[in-house]
Amino acid sequence: MKESTSILIIYTGGTIGMVNDPVTGSLVPINFRHISDQVPELRRFGFTLESVTFDPVIDSSDVSPATWVRIAETIADGYKHFDGFVVLHGTDTMAYSASALSFMLSGLEKPVIFTGAQLPIGVLRTDGKENLITAIEIAAAHENGLPVVPEVCIYFENRLLRGNRTIKYSAEHFNAFASPNLPPLAEAGLQIRYNRNIIRYPTVRRPLGITGKFDTRVAILSLFPGIMRETVHSILNTAGLRGIILETYGTGNAPTLDWFLSELRAFMKNGGIVLNVTQCLAGSVEMGLYETSAGLRNAGVISGRDITTEAALTKMMILFGSGIPADKISALLAQPLCGEMS
Ligand code: ASP
């Protein structure tokens, strides 16, 4: 680690910095001072730590694309000055935010490490201290003058995961996040062991760019046995809707009912885009493997392969926001842009 390393901590909110409201008894986020007072170890890092606190700090259920833009702009503002960034964020929507940031930041050559906690930092058994300290260490890690992990990641419990591969899968365990289709980029034990074969390193050097426009005219349609035509019809006919993430069964399968396929065809005929992702936590869509997905493929549904719903949704919002033509958007949805699909 070089001596002059400097890290910016961006505190957006979340359980890590929450305390019980004296009136309601509910957990509410408070300021960064509260966090740093609980972790005096931060002073022992031999480099510069600065922080920016969102005003107001929020529970991540209140995150919106505007929050992603704020995080991205904060990173861009400090990009020249800092060697790495740690984003403190609630766990509930962290996988969406980390996915969004991975698509927003082009030319990223520095670590952006999201972390948080399942138990507030003021609680004796908190997981927040270890998460914060190791996230800072990873954000600061350099080798031959270059960052070890120049990616948007989530560090939680003892694993560093690519942000756009993560899902929050436990509301209870400290090990709250999983990356079912990609091994961890690093594991922290006595040492932090980096999996350099998986970490993405920039091949061309270009300045950091931010894509900050999101088009939220998208929806998730999750299938279940017995789903009513009226439900499917009303979602697909939402005014202005441009795209849906179709959460299917297994390897991308859906009912073979005539009405179902004709609802999808009508949506696509009017310019709508349908991206097929699996409801399974691990594995990939493989349209055509079963007859129950061949109809989708023939109708023009795009395979999301092994992308998570979180990454699919944020990718679609960003592509729609970019103003590029629909056929190009379909092509980009079918291929990985920054390691979000195998
Ligand atoms: N509700 C909290 C949030 O997402 C949960 C957490 O941080 O773990 O902000």
Side-chain angles (χ1 to χ4, degrees), residues 47 50 58 79 86 90 116 194 203 226 239 259 298 302 308-309 333 342:
F47 43 77
E50 284 182 35
I58 53 172
Y79 198 68
V86 171
Y194 293 96
T203 43
W259 68 256
N298 298 340
I302 301 163
T308 62
T309 295
L333 283 170
S342 302

Side-chain angles (χ1 to χ4, degrees), residues 14-15 18 59-60 90-92 117-118:
T15 296
M18 288 190 183
D59 185 297
S60 76
T91 58
D92 290 344
Q118 292 279 62

Side-chain angles (χ1 to χ4, degrees), residues 246-263:
L246 184 65
E247 283 191 339
T248 55
Y249 309 125
T251 52
N253 307 313
T256 50
L257 297 164
D258 282 345
W259 68 256
F260 179 72
L261 284 172
S262 50
E263 290 289 347

Side-chain angles (χ1 to χ4, degrees), residues 125-252:
R125 286 180 52 250
T126 185
D127 52 330
K129 277 191 192 182
E130 196 280 326
N131 284 348
L132 174 58
I133 289 170
T134 308
I136 293 172
E137 198 155 330
I138 291 170
H142 275 73
E143 207 174 66
N144 304 324
L146 292 172
V148 179
V149 194
E151 287 207 42
V152 178
C153 300
I154 290 183
Y155 177 76
F156 224 86
E157 186 64 351
N158 57 345
R159 294 179 310 152
L160 182 72
L161 309 173
R162 176 170 300 149
N164 57 30
R165 290 299 194 124
T166 57
I167 51 170
K168 179 175 179 183
Y169 87 111
S170 176
E172 162 148 13
H173 295 125
F174 286 155
N175 213 345
F177 289 89
S179 163
N181 290 321
L182 190 79
L185 304 192
E187 287 183 84
L190 289 183
Q191 317 235 327
I192 301 175
R193 295 200 187 281
Y194 293 96
N195 197 347
R196 287 183 172 75
N197 296 333
I198 302 180
I199 298 170
R200 298 179 83 235
Y201 292 98
T203 43
V204 279
R205 300 206 67 176
R206 51 195 175 126
L208 183 79
I210 303 181
T211 312
K213 282 210 182 109
F214 290 86
D215 187 337
T216 56
R217 289 176 293 172
V218 298
I220 298 171
L221 174 54
S222 197
L223 297 179
F224 56 88
I227 192 166
M228 293 192 301
R229 179 171 192 168
E230 291 78 357
T231 308
V232 172
H233 182 84
S234 76
I235 292 175
L236 293 178
N237 287 280
T238 306
L241 191 73
R242 296 183 67 191
I244 62 159
I245 310 296
L246 184 65
E247 283 191 339
T248 55
Y249 309 125
T251 52

